[in-house]
Amino acid sequence: MEESYEGLADAGALTSRGLQESFLCSYFMEGVFMPIHNADIAAVLEEIADLLEIENANIFRVRAYRNASHILQELGKDVRTMVEQADDLTKLPGIGDDLAHKIQELVETGHCTMLDKLHQQLPATVTELLKIPGLGPKRVRALYHELDIRTMEQLQRAVRNHRIQTLPGFGEKTEMRIADALAKHAADMGRFNLAVAAQYAEPLASWLRKLPGVQQVVVAGSYRRARETVGDIDILITAAPNSQVMKRFCSYDEIAETLSQGPTRSSVVLKNKLQVDVRVVRPESYGAALHYFTGSKSHNIAIRRLGRAQGLKINEYGVFKAGARVNGETEESVYQLVGLPFIPPELREDRGEIEAARDGRLPRLIELSDLKGDLHVHSKASDGHDTLEAMAQAARQHGLEYLAITEHSSRLAVARGLDPVKLAKQIDMIDCLNEKLPDITLLKGIEVDILKNGKLDLPDWILGKLDLVVGAVHGSFGLSRARQTERILRAMDHPHFTLLAHPSGRLIGKRESYDVDMLRIIRKAKERGCYLELNANPKRLDLVDIYCQIAKDEGVLVSIDSDAHSVFDFDNLRFGIGQARRGWLARQDVLNTRPLEALRPLLRRTM
DNA sequence: GCCGTTTTCGGCCCGACTGTTTTCAGTCG
């Protein structure tokens, strides 16, 4: 499992950009209050932790900063608002007087005195060097103090001149490794979309299952937690001792490079640049190892801490008391020993799941089989690839009872969007099909463009003939937060508006979310009796997890839709379910788990 | 720097692999 504290990428509007210089400068522009997001503060705390670690500070002090950074990233509340309301920040776990003051300073001034002081000792750029695998704080410190290396470019030059291997503690191999890592860093080995990773992980797992001596094979790590992107693939294998499984694994045809290889643990890079870590344990350690290898890191730390308080030591081999193994054969046994019920992998982010488990508040998470319909699909009539009838049959094969046909509207010309006349024709077609198809009901819908001014791209007379109206933003992504939010709120005020599709507009790894106040949108949905979509397309997975959780808390139903453009796209629903589970959603929190007769009244606006 | 069913001081999650060592530090997961 990748070990950097995660969550930024999942945080939607809490974008992953750090606290950039330009942002700091513009924080207090004349008369304009620039927002500071939790992610920005978290980035500062993370940088302080990096710098302190390079300066060889007490590791627990470093950990306190990292921990606080993590807390802010995962916090469902806006810290800026908390400061403005004079809330007591020390009530947050891991935040004491000192960190509370630093956070307050950041919110109020956009600066952190301590970070400024650290920058006088160490240039900000050295923390970049930590991103090179093989370079940790100690080596970065040596590189800076001994060779005055502070940037990637300087590191590159030192490698070329073979100056690295002259340093004590460094050798020829280390230098070569750094050279290698630098080349890869330049090639930008990013994270893999979950759906892409699945295409490599699942065949590899199947191949491993056929090896002699292998008993169980599970893809663990962030993949098992259904994160929208994964940095690597973690595979747990149980096998009898002395089986040659690791040796055999390293002969897998797709491996481009072996990073490390031991009897119980190996890391390789596949030809597509995806890193795979494999761990082999004995069957009696299966549960403890699976728990350990599923992560997240912060969840594991919290669980070990709980165990420790009860005199237990938890590692990947089992749960131990006074040196004697107590259990660990199943994940359930690990949780049981620390006094908790089983926590589903998707919740294991140290985001309140442990407290919820302790208090018996864990939701019974939604499953794929709970879905009764899909409220957002396309056919050949706009930019889909298959006929209405083919889409209906495919939906039926996926166990769905109803399917809303929601073509694009005319504004989206590139997608051959429908004008009122064409839409009227499709409405008639759907009526005919519904008489013909016995096992599934087609609903009449549209994915109508929300125009820049918040109006909908089709006239009311035609919208009024539909079962549901799915609104979506497909352009003018660059509006200010205020204007973008107003645009969407206005659309939701429309009496025919039912459902907001892909609410943040992001494309994972390709396009950031547009800047929008999602909390206001969620509250508007509650007020107006409409819904938010969780788009199951693995490139979108939008609504993101923390906003699913907030929608649930605010009492707004989420609709998990495939946005299918072909009969194959219904398979994507499983990714939507993964994200929904990460967002704590249960069956009752999801609109399209309702059978058709229960759904229909919910689609009719009463306000 | 944080925190308290052992505690306001003394702890703080745990182990594998590599390279440069000659018993272990550094890094990573």
Side-chain angles (χ1 to χ4, degrees):
Chain A
M1 96 198 83
E2 70 274 23
E3 286 298 309
S4 60
Y5 280 116
E6 302 162 350
L8 282 170
D10 283 353
L14 313 177
T15 60
S16 58
R17 73 196 149 85
L19 189 59
Q20 293 154 0
E21 203 66 27
S22 60
F23 168 75
L24 273 175
C25 293
S26 62
Y27 182 67
F28 273 125
M29 283 161 48
E30 212 170 330
V32 183
F33 184 79
M34 301 293 285
I36 187 164
H37 298 291
N38 289 11
D40 301 320
I41 302 170
V44 169
L45 297 178
E46 193 70 44
E47 190 183 353
I48 290 175
D50 284 345
L51 290 169
L52 284 175
E53 201 170 10
I54 294 169
E55 282 293 74
N56 208 14
N58 180 320
I59 192 63
F60 297 108
R61 189 176 167 219
V62 172
R63 203 177 282 175
Y65 280 95
R66 280 200 214 291
N67 184 41
S69 174
H70 173 68
I71 297 287
L72 292 194
Q73 285 170 40
E74 302 292 353
L75 191 69
K77 292 184 280 192
D78 187 18
V79 171
R80 180 182 51 125
T81 312
M82 290 180 72
V83 170
E84 282 165 5
Q85 294 172 352
D87 288 350
D88 184 3
L89 296 179
T90 64
K91 291 256 165 66
L92 298 173
I95 310 287
D97 285 338
D98 184 272
L99 280 164
H101 278 116
K102 290 194 170 79
I103 293 168
Q104 192 175 352
E105 185 193 9
L106 272 163
V107 169
E108 289 172 352
T109 72
H111 282 277
C112 174
T113 313
M114 180 191 182
L115 181 61
D116 295 343
K117 278 189 186 151
L118 280 170
H119 280 161
Q120 288 168 13
Q121 294 154 38
L122 277 173
T125 49
V126 291
T127 57
E128 275 294 298
L129 302 177
L130 291 171
K131 290 184 185 150
I132 298 293
L135 288 188
K138 302 288 186 293
R139 287 183 178 150
V140 167
R141 178 179 162 81
L143 289 170
Y144 173 63
H145 284 295
E146 305 299 323
L147 297 177
D148 197 32
I149 290 171
R150 49 183 81 194
T151 67
M152 291 285 190
E153 291 72 29
Q154 289 168 335
L155 181 62
Q156 186 91 60
R157 263 201 301 277
V159 166
R160 268 203 301 270
N161 301 333
H162 300 295
R163 287 164 67 210
I164 306 289
Q165 50 177 297
T166 63
L167 288 179
F170 290 74
E172 203 176 335
K173 284 196 175 167
T174 305
E175 188 177 83
M176 276 167 56
R177 219 176 136 210
I178 293 173
D180 230 33
L182 273 170
K184 278 181 194 146
H185 187 77
D188 185 32
M189 288 176 54
R191 295 177 66 86
F192 282 72
N193 188 284
L194 185 62
V196 175
Q199 291 168 27
Y200 293 88
E202 286 166 12
L204 172 54
S206 301
W207 182 81
L208 286 167
R209 283 188 193 103
K210 291 182 195 134
L211 292 182
V214 165
Q215 299 181 9
Q216 280 158 301
V217 176
V218 191
V219 184
S222 45
Y223 183 88
R224 183 164 180 245
R225 304 201 312 278
R227 287 230 10 192
E228 57 201 32
T229 62
V230 299
D232 59 20
I233 292 291
D234 303 291
I235 298 182
L236 174 68
I237 300 174
T238 58
N242 303 326
S243 69
Q244 299 289 303
V245 55
M246 199 56 99
K247 209 168 152 190
R248 292 204 168 92
F249 161 65
C250 288
S251 72
Y252 186 58
D253 196 37
E254 292 289 310
I255 293 175
E257 187 188 358
T258 302
L259 299 175
S260 69
Q261 187 186 342
T264 69
R265 166 175 224 152
S266 294
S267 290
V268 303
V269 179
L270 300 183
K271 287 172 182 165
N272 72 340
K273 311 260 192 265
L274 180 60
Q275 183 171 328
V276 180
D277 299 329
V278 171
R279 192 73 194 256
V280 182
V281 298
R282 295 182 183 204
E284 62 265 31
S285 297
Y286 174 73
L290 182 57
H291 181 259
Y292 158 77
F293 222 22
T294 296
S296 65
K297 179 184 175 183
S298 41
H299 174 88
N300 287 355
I301 289 174
I303 293 294
R304 283 179 189 154
R305 197 180 287 140
L306 265 184
R308 205 183 164 78
Q310 297 165 48
L312 300 169
K313 186 170 79 165
I314 302 173
N315 60 27
E316 57 264 57
Y317 300 110
V319 182
F320 300 86
K321 187 156 202 168
R325 157 196 274 293
V326 197
N327 208 325
E329 207 167 330
T330 63
E331 278 193 315
E332 283 81 356
S333 74
V334 176
Y335 284 108
Q336 193 207 332
L337 283 165
V338 295
L340 297 177
F342 178 80
I343 299 178
E346 296 91 340
L347 299 185
R348 299 182 195 171
E349 299 291 346
D350 194 20
R351 216 185 260 176
E353 73 278 10
I354 293 172
E355 295 76 7
R358 190 190 55 207
D359 302 343
R361 288 186 287 108
L362 281 180
R364 183 202 153 278
L365 296 179
I366 184 169
E367 291 172 20
L368 185 57
S369 58
D370 290 328
L371 290 183
K372 296 283 189 288
D374 189 336
L375 298 181
H376 182 176
V377 311
H378 301 266
S379 79
K380 276 174 100 157
S382 65
D383 62 344
H385 302 295
D386 292 300
T387 62
L388 281 182
E389 192 163 352
M391 294 301 282
Q393 279 165 354
R396 187 65 208 129
Q397 280 161 12
H398 281 77
L400 302 180
E401 296 169 9
Y402 53 87
L403 182 67
I405 305 298
T406 55
E407 311 289 5
H408 290 287
S409 62
S410 43
R411 177 61 64 103
L412 209 60
V414 64
R416 302 190 302 278
L418 271 49
D419 61 22
V421 175
K422 285 181 182 160
L423 180 54
K425 217 184 267 178
Q426 191 182 59
I427 289 173
D428 291 341
M429 271 181 73
I430 290 173
D431 280 334
C432 291
L433 267 176
N434 273 336
E435 285 176 21
K436 199 171 126 191
L437 298 169
D439 296 327
I440 188 159
T441 302
L442 295 185
L443 297 174
K444 291 165 268 189
I446 188 76
E447 181 183 4
V448 65
D449 259 49
I450 298 174
L451 305 178
K452 196 172 170 183
N453 60 8
K455 289 188 175 168
L456 302 183
D457 183 32
L458 285 169
D460 290 1
W461 68 265
I462 189 81
L463 294 178
K465 291 182 187 295
L466 299 169
D467 296 309
L468 79 165
V469 170
V470 179
V473 166
H474 288 119
S476 300
F477 297 119
L479 295 184
S480 70
R481 185 181 179 86
R483 286 189 66 196
Q484 196 69 270
T485 306
E486 284 309 320
R487 168 194 195 176
I488 295 172
L489 295 182
R490 182 168 179 200
M492 294 168 92
D493 267 330
H494 193 288
H496 293 310
F497 190 99
T498 320
L499 172 65
L500 179 63
H502 39 75
S504 84
R506 63 126 183 216
L507 293 173
I508 297 170
K510 295 262 191 302
R511 185 173 73 206
E512 289 276 313
S513 310
Y514 36 73
D515 198 6
V516 76
D517 187 340
M518 197 58 76
L519 187 57
R520 279 188 70 194
I521 289 175
I522 290 170
R523 290 189 171 148
K524 184 72 164 190
K526 176 68 184 170
E527 176 197 328
R528 302 295 300 167
C530 49
Y531 312 99
L532 299 183
E533 175 181 83
L534 194 179
N535 191 295
N537 183 323
K539 291 176 186 151
R540 292 191 181 270
L541 295 178
D542 169 21
L543 218 51
V544 298
D545 48 12
I546 63 166
Y547 287 124
C548 285
Q549 209 172 353
I550 292 173
K552 174 192 177 109
D553 289 345
E554 297 283 332
V556 173
L557 296 183
V558 172
S559 182
I560 302 173
D561 304 320
S562 68
D563 196 359
H565 284 68
S566 87
V567 293
F568 302 111
D569 291 344
F570 290 105
D571 290 335
N572 287 339
L573 285 169
R574 70 168 171 135
F575 297 111
I577 292 292
Q579 182 81 305
R581 289 170 64 90
R582 291 182 57 79
W584 292 55
L585 299 189
R587 183 172 56 189
Q588 64 270 20
D589 304 317
V590 175
L591 178 65
N592 49 330
T593 57
R594 269 67 174 170
L596 185 58
E597 60 274 21
L599 176 81
R600 281 198 189 275
L602 292 175
L603 296 181
R604 276 194 290 275
R605 289 282 289 272
T606 52
M607 296 170 268

